[in-house]
Amino acid sequence: ILGLGYGLGQYSVHIAVVLLVGLSLSLWKYTQSMRRAKREKLLKAISGRSETKKYSDFESVEWLNQCIELAWRCRIDTLNSLVTAQLNQKFSADCPAMFSYLKMDRLNLGPVPPIIESVDALTSY
């Protein structure tokens, strides 16, 4: 601590700057560890299933939900614009007679992705 005080005095560095740099570095390290933990959780969910779920009546689709959640967070703006463009094409093709023009400016699908609970295979089709 004595060396730190001497270095601060010698180079005229304010203690608030040192604390701000330290806080920034620790926050950066924390976010990196959280990203790593989320990535490991996703890989674990995709790669492994428990034996009880493997032979249940319905297929567990948690791995699919994790993939959808990851894509949802990364590409929500692209999804919003894609759905808006497709709806506008549909509106221009099938516009009701009471409207002369119908257009959607923007669409927000929200921050929560859809969740698929289970999938069942149909044996007779």
Side-chain angles (χ1 to χ4, degrees):
I1 293 184
L2 186 59
L4 180 63
Y6 176 75
L8 291 176
Q10 183 70 21
Y11 297 108
S12 300
V13 178
H14 198 276
I15 189 71
V17 173
V18 173
L19 290 176
L20 184 62
V21 169
L23 180 64
S24 298
L25 288 174
S26 63
L27 184 61
W28 176 75
K29 186 71 171 169
Y30 174 73
T31 56
Q32 292 297 327
S33 66
M34 291 302 293
R35 287 181 186 158
R36 187 178 316 113
K38 285 182 181 179
R39 187 170 41 247
E40 289 172 0
K41 181 181 175 186
L42 176 64
L43 289 174
K44 184 178 178 184
I46 289 172
S47 65
R49 297 187 307 177
S50 67
E51 291 297 321
T52 58
K53 289 184 178 181
K54 187 183 279 186
Y55 300 109
S56 64
D57 291 341
F58 294 98
E59 175 69 25
S60 171
V61 289
E62 186 61 32
W63 62 271
L64 182 59
N65 287 328
Q66 294 288 329
C67 292
I68 291 171
E69 181 181 358
L70 182 65
W72 195 266
R73 284 188 311 219
C74 296
R75 302 289 181 206
I76 189 66
D77 294 332
T78 306
L79 286 171
N80 286 335
S81 62
L82 182 67
V83 170
T84 303
Q86 288 183 355
L87 284 175
N88 283 332
Q89 286 177 353
K90 196 75 151 158
F91 289 157
S92 65
D94 300 329
C95 187
M98 69 175 103
F99 298 116
S100 61
Y101 180 70
L102 190 60
K103 179 184 176 190
M104 181 174 291
D105 285 336
R106 67 182 163 213
L107 174 73
N108 186 359
L109 295 174
V112 181
I115 297 173
I116 299 172
E117 291 181 357
S118 62
V119 175
D120 189 17
L122 299 176
T123 56
S124 60
Y125 46 89

